Amino acid sequence: MAQFPLHDETTAPEAARPHLASAKRRMGFITTLNAVMAESPELLAGYNALAEQFGKSSLPTPAKHVVWITASVENDCAYCVAAHSTMALRSGLPQETVDALREAKPLPDTALEAARRLTRSMVTNRGWVSDEEVDAFLAAGYTERHVLDIVLGVGMKTLSNYTNHVAHTPLDPAWESQEWTKA
C-alpha cells in the first residue's frame, strides 16, 4: 500500500509551502488533509482555491455546511464528515441538524432540506439531476446561482473526499469528537 507523506512547511515541495502557510493561517494548524495534498502542490492549490471561492459564494452559510457534510456522507469520507461536522457546530448549526446530516436523514428546515436533497442527488447521480429536483430547490427560495454554487461545493468535496480515500488520511485531533463511520 502506498504511504502518502504528511508534509509540513519544511518537508513540502517548495511550490506547496505558501499554500500550507495560507491553510495554517485560515485553520490555525495544518490539517492532515492539507499535509497529504502538499505532495501535489497543484492539488493543494486547486483545493484551497475552490474552498476560498465556495466560501465567497452566494449560498447562505448554513447551506454551505449542508453541502460539505452531505457530499462527504454520500462519498463515505469519514475524515471530511468529522471535520465539517466540527466546523458546522462551531458556526452555530444546531446539533440536531448536524446529526441528521451525518445520518443522511431529512432536515426539518425546508430550505436546508432542499439544499441537502439537491446536493445528495448531484453526488449520487454524478451531476445528472432532474429538472424537477432543480425546480424543487428553486421553489425553496434559492436561485439558479445557488444551484451552480452547489456544483462548486461538490467539486471541492470531491477533491478532498477522493484524496482521503486514496491516502487514508489520518483524522486530526481537532475533529476527533465528531468521528464518523457510515451506518
Side-chain angles (χ1 to χ4, degrees), residues 109-138:
D109 180 294
T110 56
L112 293 181
E113 174 59 10
R116 186 192 74 82
R117 290 180 62 130
L118 187 64
T119 302
R120 182 181 182 280
S121 181
M122 205 170 283
V123 173
T124 60
N125 295 309
R126 296 176 296 192
W128 293 104
V129 297
S130 70
D131 291 340
E132 293 79 18
E133 290 171 304
V134 173
D135 289 345
F137 179 73
L138 297 174

Side-chain angles (χ1 to χ4, degrees), residues 22-86:
S22 175
K24 186 175 184 177
R25 280 191 302 277
R26 187 176 65 250
M27 298 295 295
F29 64 101
I30 295 174
T31 66
T32 52
L33 171 62
N34 280 269
V36 167
M37 285 182 165
E39 182 69 16
S40 170
E42 297 77 16
L43 173 61
L44 180 59
Y47 176 75
N48 286 339
L50 288 178
E52 180 181 345
Q53 293 306 309
F54 187 62
K56 293 178 184 178
S57 75
S58 67
L59 204 60
T61 298
K64 289 174 187 167
H65 289 292
V66 168
V67 171
W68 285 320
I69 297 171
T70 301
S72 298
V73 166
E74 292 305 318
N75 283 325
D76 195 13
C77 183
Y79 180 97
C80 285
V81 172
H84 287 293
S85 296
T86 302

